[in-house]
Amino acid sequence: MLKERVFSGIQPSGNLTIGNYLGALKNFSVQQDLYDCIYCVVDMHALTAGIKAEDLNRYSYEILSLYLAADLDPEKSIIYFQSHVPAHTELQWILNSITPLGQLSRMTQYKAKAEKHADNIYAGLLNYPILMAADIMLFDAKYVPVGDDQRQHLEFTRDLVEKFNSIYGETFVMPEMLATKTGTRIMSLQNPAAKMSKSDEDINGAIYILDSEKDIKKKIMRAVTDSVGVIAYNKDQAGLKNLIDIYSSFTDLSPDDIVKKFDNQGYGTFKKELVEVVVDGLRPIQNRYNEYMSNKDQLEEIYRSGAKKARKLANAKIKEVCDKIGLIEL
Ligand code: TYM
């Protein structure tokens, strides 16, 4: 029997944070034995972030290496760069024609980014969710492991699937979000009301996957908490709740277990243990990352072979779509 498909991607637009890791990347490798998995470095998406050419190039290699370091296995999963499979943008163009402009302009991420860069808003930023929908639909993905901030984009994708299928007949699989338990929304260590982000200007708000032990310690010990002074897991102690979520995601202990473990102890003790948990959790990835980054030939072999497999699947789907919408086959 054919396994159901999983698709996900990460933008090479900055240094990956533990939010990216706990909300998405950590969840990627788990799916490899259960599903037919495709993991893409979505470099075309990163163009909408106004990125410099040399940064895009460097981050692309870095993310590919982090995929591998986080246990993605090219024998089990298809791993490739989005720009090596032109069918992504081909399908995006086709979907453009059935996407209501109003829906795009109401997307939360678009509004937030447009507000931040009010003087230079490009069409790519507005059309971004269509490319994301094309990524998922191109491979008929049933499950999409992403963090909570992508929920709206996934809902948007589901709308497009429904719309296309209703106009042209059953063509695309309806995708579902695959979220982690506690890592799905990791917040900034300096502002627990904002998500931890690779584009955050305050570097103390984010722990990066490749941060040194010293930096991780400094950031956690300085993380914003509260004056209640009791270890508890609730929304009124948002900073602490976030730290418990991080602890929980790295250890697989539930938030309740963690609260019990640190009963009657101060925030300082908890934070010190959290430093150890995070450092120990990231160390194996950091070590493997360095090995991959120092072997560009091996990386090239992996992304070339991934692109070949992805193109084959994608081209077959594009052919089916072109046929459905009335384009003449060559
Ligand atoms: P990106 O590159 O911003 O983030 C990559 C993944 O990390 C998750 N994430 C978080 N999870 C928990 N807490 C956080 N603070 C946090 N910050 C980020 C994101 O939810 C995401 O899963 N549009 C996507 C990339 C994309 C994609 C796709 C994903 C393009 N096409 C197709 C899935 C399927 C994005 O910008 O992710």
Side-chain angles (χ1 to χ4, degrees), residues 129-147:
I130 315 179
L131 183 58
M132 177 160 166
D135 300 340
I136 296 167
M137 291 164 71
L138 192 57
F139 296 101
D140 277 322
K142 171 84 180 146
Y143 299 111
V144 185
V146 280

mmCIF file with all atom_site columns, all heavy atoms in Angstrom, residues 129-147:
data_model
loop_
_atom_site.group_PDB
_atom_site.id
_atom_site.type_symbol
_atom_site.label_atom_id
_atom_site.label_alt_id
_atom_site.label_comp_id
_atom_site.label_asym_id
_atom_site.label_entity_id
_atom_site.label_seq_id
_atom_site.pdbx_PDB_ins_code
_atom_site.Cartn_x
_atom_site.Cartn_y
_atom_site.Cartn_z
_atom_site.occupancy
_atom_site.B_iso_or_equiv
_atom_site.pdbx_formal_charge
_atom_site.auth_seq_id
_atom_site.auth_comp_id
_atom_site.auth_asym_id
_atom_site.auth_atom_id
_atom_site.pdbx_PDB_model_num
ATOM 1   N N   . PRO A 1 129 ? 1.712  33.158 0.154  1.00 0.00 ? 129 PRO A N   1
ATOM 2   C CA  . PRO A 1 129 ? 0.927  31.966 0.531  1.00 0.00 ? 129 PRO A CA  1
ATOM 3   C C   . PRO A 1 129 ? 0.541  31.096 -0.656 1.00 0.00 ? 129 PRO A C   1
ATOM 4   O O   . PRO A 1 129 ? 0.313  29.903 -0.483 1.00 0.00 ? 129 PRO A O   1
ATOM 5   C CB  . PRO A 1 129 ? -0.323 32.551 1.204  1.00 0.00 ? 129 PRO A CB  1
ATOM 6   C CG  . PRO A 1 129 ? 0.022  33.954 1.569  1.00 0.00 ? 129 PRO A CG  1
ATOM 7   C CD  . PRO A 1 129 ? 1.026  34.414 0.567  1.00 0.00 ? 129 PRO A CD  1
ATOM 8   N N   . ILE A 1 130 ? 0.477  31.690 -1.855 1.00 0.00 ? 130 ILE A N   1
ATOM 9   C CA  . ILE A 1 130 ? 0.112  30.869 -3.038 1.00 0.00 ? 130 ILE A CA  1
ATOM 10  C C   . ILE A 1 130 ? 1.268  29.927 -3.365 1.00 0.00 ? 130 ILE A C   1
ATOM 11  O O   . ILE A 1 130 ? 1.063  28.772 -3.732 1.00 0.00 ? 130 ILE A O   1
ATOM 12  C CB  . ILE A 1 130 ? -0.224 31.735 -4.277 1.00 0.00 ? 130 ILE A CB  1
ATOM 13  C CG1 . ILE A 1 130 ? -1.131 32.895 -3.882 1.00 0.00 ? 130 ILE A CG1 1
ATOM 14  C CG2 . ILE A 1 130 ? -0.872 30.887 -5.367 1.00 0.00 ? 130 ILE A CG2 1
ATOM 15  C CD1 . ILE A 1 130 ? -1.502 33.811 -5.047 1.00 0.00 ? 130 ILE A CD1 1
ATOM 16  N N   . LEU A 1 131 ? 2.490  30.433 -3.217 1.00 0.00 ? 131 LEU A N   1
ATOM 17  C CA  . LEU A 1 131 ? 3.649  29.559 -3.460 1.00 0.00 ? 131 LEU A CA  1
ATOM 18  C C   . LEU A 1 131 ? 3.695  28.440 -2.415 1.00 0.00 ? 131 LEU A C   1
ATOM 19  O O   . LEU A 1 131 ? 3.975  27.292 -2.734 1.00 0.00 ? 131 LEU A O   1
ATOM 20  C CB  . LEU A 1 131 ? 4.958  30.384 -3.449 1.00 0.00 ? 131 LEU A CB  1
ATOM 21  C CG  . LEU A 1 131 ? 6.240  29.616 -3.752 1.00 0.00 ? 131 LEU A CG  1
ATOM 22  C CD1 . LEU A 1 131 ? 6.187  28.915 -5.113 1.00 0.00 ? 131 LEU A CD1 1
ATOM 23  C CD2 . LEU A 1 131 ? 7.462  30.550 -3.712 1.00 0.00 ? 131 LEU A CD2 1
ATOM 24  N N   . MET A 1 132 ? 3.381  28.794 -1.192 1.00 0.00 ? 132 MET A N   1
ATOM 25  C CA  . MET A 1 132 ? 3.366  27.767 -0.137 1.00 0.00 ? 132 MET A CA  1
ATOM 26  C C   . MET A 1 132 ? 2.288  26.718 -0.423 1.00 0.00 ? 132 MET A C   1
ATOM 27  O O   . MET A 1 132 ? 2.511  25.516 -0.263 1.00 0.00 ? 132 MET A O   1
ATOM 28  C CB  . MET A 1 132 ? 3.146  28.434 1.230  1.00 0.00 ? 132 MET A CB  1
ATOM 29  C CG  . MET A 1 132 ? 3.051  27.430 2.352  1.00 0.00 ? 132 MET A CG  1
ATOM 30  S SD  . MET A 1 132 ? 3.367  28.180 3.953  1.00 0.00 ? 132 MET A SD  1
ATOM 31  C CE  . MET A 1 132 ? 2.758  26.881 5.035  1.00 0.00 ? 132 MET A CE  1
ATOM 32  N N   . ALA A 1 133 ? 1.130  27.175 -0.866 1.00 0.00 ? 133 ALA A N   1
ATOM 33  C CA  . ALA A 1 133 ? 0.060  26.232 -1.220 1.00 0.00 ? 133 ALA A CA  1
ATOM 34  C C   . ALA A 1 133 ? 0.515  25.341 -2.374 1.00 0.00 ? 133 ALA A C   1
ATOM 35  O O   . ALA A 1 133 ? 0.314  24.114 -2.364 1.00 0.00 ? 133 ALA A O   1
ATOM 36  C CB  . ALA A 1 133 ? -1.203 26.994 -1.610 1.00 0.00 ? 133 ALA A CB  1
ATOM 37  N N   . ALA A 1 134 ? 1.191  25.949 -3.360 1.00 0.00 ? 134 ALA A N   1
ATOM 38  C CA  . ALA A 1 134 ? 1.678  25.169 -4.511 1.00 0.00 ? 134 ALA A CA  1
ATOM 39  C C   . ALA A 1 134 ? 2.665  24.101 -4.049 1.00 0.00 ? 134 ALA A C   1
ATOM 40  O O   . ALA A 1 134 ? 2.620  22.960 -4.518 1.00 0.00 ? 134 ALA A O   1
ATOM 41  C CB  . ALA A 1 134 ? 2.332  26.103 -5.531 1.00 0.00 ? 134 ALA A CB  1
ATOM 42  N N   . ASP A 1 135 ? 3.552  24.455 -3.097 1.00 0.00 ? 135 ASP A N   1
ATOM 43  C CA  . ASP A 1 135 ? 4.531  23.483 -2.582 1.00 0.00 ? 135 ASP A CA  1
ATOM 44  C C   . ASP A 1 135 ? 3.829  22.219 -2.079 1.00 0.00 ? 135 ASP A C   1
ATOM 45  O O   . ASP A 1 135 ? 4.226  21.096 -2.366 1.00 0.00 ? 135 ASP A O   1
ATOM 46  C CB  . ASP A 1 135 ? 5.297  24.058 -1.374 1.00 0.00 ? 135 ASP A CB  1
ATOM 47  C CG  . ASP A 1 135 ? 6.062  25.325 -1.681 1.00 0.00 ? 135 ASP A CG  1
ATOM 48  O OD1 . ASP A 1 135 ? 6.335  25.582 -2.861 1.00 0.00 ? 135 ASP A OD1 1
ATOM 49  O OD2 . ASP A 1 135 ? 6.373  26.069 -0.714 1.00 0.00 ? 135 ASP A OD2 1
ATOM 50  N N   . ILE A 1 136 ? 2.788  22.469 -1.306 1.00 0.00 ? 136 ILE A N   1
ATOM 51  C CA  . ILE A 1 136 ? 2.093  21.364 -0.623 1.00 0.00 ? 136 ILE A CA  1
ATOM 52  C C   . ILE A 1 136 ? 1.249  20.568 -1.626 1.00 0.00 ? 136 ILE A C   1
ATOM 53  O O   . ILE A 1 136 ? 1.260  19.337 -1.650 1.00 0.00 ? 136 ILE A O   1
ATOM 54  C CB  . ILE A 1 136 ? 1.199  21.948 0.503  1.00 0.00 ? 136 ILE A CB  1
ATOM 55  C CG1 . ILE A 1 136 ? 2.074  22.637 1.561  1.00 0.00 ? 136 ILE A CG1 1
ATOM 56  C CG2 . ILE A 1 136 ? 0.332  20.871 1.128  1.00 0.00 ? 136 ILE A CG2 1
ATOM 57  C CD1 . ILE A 1 136 ? 1.306  23.520 2.543  1.00 0.00 ? 136 ILE A CD1 1
ATOM 58  N N   . MET A 1 137 ? 0.550  21.309 -2.497 1.00 0.00 ? 137 MET A N   1
ATOM 59  C CA  . MET A 1 137 ? -0.381 20.660 -3.428 1.00 0.00 ? 137 MET A CA  1
ATOM 60  C C   . MET A 1 137 ? 0.346  19.881 -4.525 1.00 0.00 ? 137 MET A C   1
ATOM 61  O O   . MET A 1 137 ? -0.122 18.851 -4.989 1.00 0.00 ? 137 MET A O   1
ATOM 62  C CB  . MET A 1 137 ? -1.297 21.727 -4.044 1.00 0.00 ? 137 MET A CB  1
ATOM 63  C CG  . MET A 1 137 ? -2.257 22.310 -3.011 1.00 0.00 ? 137 MET A CG  1
ATOM 64  S SD  . MET A 1 137 ? -3.029 23.876 -3.528 1.00 0.00 ? 137 MET A SD  1
ATOM 65  C CE  . MET A 1 137 ? -4.145 23.339 -4.807 1.00 0.00 ? 137 MET A CE  1
ATOM 66  N N   . LEU A 1 138 ? 1.510  20.378 -4.899 1.00 0.00 ? 138 LEU A N   1
ATOM 67  C CA  . LEU A 1 138 ? 2.301  19.750 -5.964 1.00 0.00 ? 138 LEU A CA  1
ATOM 68  C C   . LEU A 1 138 ? 2.602  18.282 -5.668 1.00 0.00 ? 138 LEU A C   1
ATOM 69  O O   . LEU A 1 138 ? 2.720  17.455 -6.571 1.00 0.00 ? 138 LEU A O   1
ATOM 70  C CB  . LEU A 1 138 ? 3.616  20.532 -6.098 1.00 0.00 ? 138 LEU A CB  1
ATOM 71  C CG  . LEU A 1 138 ? 4.523  20.289 -7.281 1.00 0.00 ? 138 LEU A CG  1
ATOM 72  C CD1 . LEU A 1 138 ? 3.794  20.513 -8.594 1.00 0.00 ? 138 LEU A CD1 1
ATOM 73  C CD2 . LEU A 1 138 ? 5.728  21.229 -7.195 1.00 0.00 ? 138 LEU A CD2 1
ATOM 74  N N   . PHE A 1 139 ? 2.727  17.973 -4.379 1.00 0.00 ? 139 PHE A N   1
ATOM 75  C CA  . PHE A 1 139 ? 3.094  16.604 -3.996 1.00 0.00 ? 139 PHE A CA  1
ATOM 76  C C   . PHE A 1 139 ? 1.942  15.865 -3.328 1.00 0.00 ? 139 PHE A C   1
ATOM 77  O O   . PHE A 1 139 ? 2.139  14.814 -2.732 1.00 0.00 ? 139 PHE A O   1
ATOM 78  C CB  . PHE A 1 139 ? 4.324  16.640 -3.078 1.00 0.00 ? 139 PHE A CB  1
ATOM 79  C CG  . PHE A 1 139 ? 5.530  17.179 -3.780 1.00 0.00 ? 139 PHE A CG  1
ATOM 80  C CD1 . PHE A 1 139 ? 5.940  18.487 -3.587 1.00 0.00 ? 139 PHE A CD1 1
ATOM 81  C CD2 . PHE A 1 139 ? 6.238  16.392 -4.682 1.00 0.00 ? 139 PHE A CD2 1
ATOM 82  C CE1 . PHE A 1 139 ? 7.031  19.006 -4.259 1.00 0.00 ? 139 PHE A CE1 1
ATOM 83  C CE2 . PHE A 1 139 ? 7.334  16.892 -5.359 1.00 0.00 ? 139 PHE A CE2 1
ATOM 84  C CZ  . PHE A 1 139 ? 7.727  18.201 -5.150 1.00 0.00 ? 139 PHE A CZ  1
ATOM 85  N N   . ASP A 1 140 ? 0.748  16.445 -3.396 1.00 0.00 ? 140 ASP A N   1
ATOM 86  C CA  . ASP A 1 140 ? -0.412 15.812 -2.766 1.00 0.00 ? 140 ASP A CA  1
ATOM 87  C C   . ASP A 1 140 ? -0.133 15.437 -1.320 1.00 0.00 ? 140 ASP A C   1
ATOM 88  O O   . ASP A 1 140 ? -0.456 14.318 -0.875 1.00 0.00 ? 140 ASP A O   1
ATOM 89  C CB  . ASP A 1 140 ? -0.840 14.567 -3.576 1.00 0.00 ? 140 ASP A CB  1
ATOM 90  C CG  . ASP A 1 140 ? -1.712 14.972 -4.752 1.00 0.00 ? 140 ASP A CG  1
ATOM 91  O OD1 . ASP A 1 140 ? -2.524 15.899 -4.597 1.00 0.00 ? 140 ASP A OD1 1
ATOM 92  O OD2 . ASP A 1 140 ? -1.567 14.373 -5.835 1.00 0.00 ? 140 ASP A OD2 1
ATOM 93  N N   . ALA A 1 141 ? 0.480  16.373 -0.592 1.00 0.00 ? 141 ALA A N   1
ATOM 94  C CA  . ALA A 1 141 ? 0.794  16.082 0.813  1.00 0.00 ? 141 ALA A CA  1
ATOM 95  C C   . ALA A 1 141 ? -0.479 16.004 1.647  1.00 0.00 ? 141 ALA A C   1
ATOM 96  O O   . ALA A 1 141 ? -1.368 16.842 1.523  1.00 0.00 ? 141 ALA A O   1
ATOM 97  C CB  . ALA A 1 141 ? 1.713  17.170 1.369  1.00 0.00 ? 141 ALA A CB  1
ATOM 98  N N   . LYS A 1 142 ? -0.521 14.969 2.465  1.00 0.00 ? 142 LYS A N   1
ATOM 99  C CA  . LYS A 1 142 ? -1.677 14.804 3.366  1.00 0.00 ? 142 LYS A CA  1
ATOM 100 C C   . LYS A 1 142 ? -1.372 15.502 4.696  1.00 0.00 ? 142 LYS A C   1
ATOM 101 O O   . LYS A 1 142 ? -2.255 16.071 5.324  1.00 0.00 ? 142 LYS A O   1
ATOM 102 C CB  . LYS A 1 142 ? -1.891 13.289 3.572  1.00 0.00 ? 142 LYS A CB  1
ATOM 103 C CG  . LYS A 1 142 ? -2.878 12.907 4.627  1.00 0.00 ? 142 LYS A CG  1
ATOM 104 C CD  . LYS A 1 142 ? -4.283 12.919 4.075  1.00 0.00 ? 142 LYS A CD  1
ATOM 105 C CE  . LYS A 1 142 ? -5.270 12.532 5.173  1.00 0.00 ? 142 LYS A CE  1
ATOM 106 N NZ  . LYS A 1 142 ? -6.519 13.194 5.059  1.00 0.00 ? 142 LYS A NZ  1
ATOM 107 N N   . TYR A 1 143 ? -0.100 15.428 5.117  1.00 0.00 ? 143 TYR A N   1
ATOM 108 C CA  . TYR A 1 143 ? 0.278  16.035 6.400  1.00 0.00 ? 143 TYR A CA  1
ATOM 109 C C   . TYR A 1 143 ? 1.410  17.047 6.217  1.00 0.00 ? 143 TYR A C   1
ATOM 110 O O   . TYR A 1 143 ? 2.360  16.797 5.464  1.00 0.00 ? 143 TYR A O   1
ATOM 111 C CB  . TYR A 1 143 ? 0.713  14.963 7.397  1.00 0.00 ? 143 TYR A CB  1
ATOM 112 C CG  . TYR A 1 143 ? -0.384 13.984 7.693  1.00 0.00 ? 143 TYR A CG  1
ATOM 113 C CD1 . TYR A 1 143 ? -0.298 12.663 7.258  1.00 0.00 ? 143 TYR A CD1 1
ATOM 114 C CD2 . TYR A 1 143 ? -1.524 14.390 8.377  1.00 0.00 ? 143 TYR A CD2 1
ATOM 115 C CE1 . TYR A 1 143 ? -1.326 11.764 7.508  1.00 0.00 ? 143 TYR A CE1 1
ATOM 116 C CE2 . TYR A 1 143 ? -2.556 13.498 8.631  1.00 0.00 ? 143 TYR A CE2 1
ATOM 117 C CZ  . TYR A 1 143 ? -2.451 12.193 8.192  1.00 0.00 ? 143 TYR A CZ  1
ATOM 118 O OH  . TYR A 1 143 ? -3.469 11.317 8.433  1.00 0.00 ? 143 TYR A OH  1
ATOM 119 N N   . VAL A 1 144 ? 1.295  18.147 6.958  1.00 0.00 ? 144 VAL A N   1
ATOM 120 C CA  . VAL A 1 144 ? 2.290  19.218 6.858  1.00 0.00 ? 144 VAL A CA  1
ATOM 121 C C   . VAL A 1 144 ? 2.785  19.576 8.266  1.00 0.00 ? 144 VAL A C   1
ATOM 122 O O   . VAL A 1 144 ? 2.081  20.257 9.023  1.00 0.00 ? 144 VAL A O   1
ATOM 123 C CB  . VAL A 1 144 ? 1.683  20.466 6.178  1.00 0.00 ? 144 VAL A CB  1
ATOM 124 C CG1 . VAL A 1 144 ? 2.754  21.531 5.953  1.00 0.00 ? 144 VAL A CG1 1
ATOM 125 C CG2 . VAL A 1 144 ? 1.020  20.096 4.853  1.00 0.00 ? 144 VAL A CG2 1
ATOM 126 N N   . PRO A 1 145 ? 3.972  19.093 8.657  1.00 0.00 ? 145 PRO A N   1
ATOM 127 C CA  . PRO A 1 145 ? 4.486  19.461 9.982  1.00 0.00 ? 145 PRO A CA  1
ATOM 128 C C   . PRO A 1 145 ? 5.014  20.894 9.982  1.00 0.00 ? 145 PRO A C   1
ATOM 129 O O   . PRO A 1 145 ? 6.011  21.195 9.333  1.00 0.00 ? 145 PRO A O   1
ATOM 130 C CB  . PRO A 1 145 ? 5.623  18.444 10.235 1.00 0.00 ? 145 PRO A CB  1
ATOM 131 C CG  . PRO A 1 145 ? 5.936  17.831 8.920  1.00 0.00 ? 145 PRO A CG  1
ATOM 132 C CD  . PRO A 1 145 ? 4.852  18.158 7.945  1.00 0.00 ? 145 PRO A CD  1
ATOM 133 N N   . VAL A 1 146 ? 4.314  21.761 10.686 1.00 0.00 ? 146 VAL A N   1
ATOM 134 C CA  . VAL A 1 146 ? 4.704  23.177 10.797 1.00 0.00 ? 146 VAL A CA  1
ATOM 135 C C   . VAL A 1 146 ? 4.323  23.679 12.189 1.00 0.00 ? 146 VAL A C   1
ATOM 136 O O   . VAL A 1 146 ? 3.515  23.061 12.883 1.00 0.00 ? 146 VAL A O   1
ATOM 137 C CB  . VAL A 1 146 ? 3.971  24.086 9.767  1.00 0.00 ? 146 VAL A CB  1
ATOM 138 C CG1 . VAL A 1 146 ? 4.591  24.031 8.392  1.00 0.00 ? 146 VAL A CG1 1
ATOM 139 C CG2 . VAL A 1 146 ? 2.478  23.784 9.714  1.00 0.00 ? 146 VAL A CG2 1
ATOM 140 N N   . GLY A 1 147 ? 4.892  24.825 12.547 1.00 0.00 ? 147 GLY A N   1
ATOM 141 C CA  . GLY A 1 147 ? 4.528  25.477 13.799 1.00 0.00 ? 147 GLY A CA  1
ATOM 142 C C   . GLY A 1 147 ? 3.207  26.226 13.643 1.00 0.00 ? 147 GLY A C   1
ATOM 143 O O   . GLY A 1 147 ? 2.680  26.383 12.531 1.00 0.00 ? 147 GLY A O   1
#
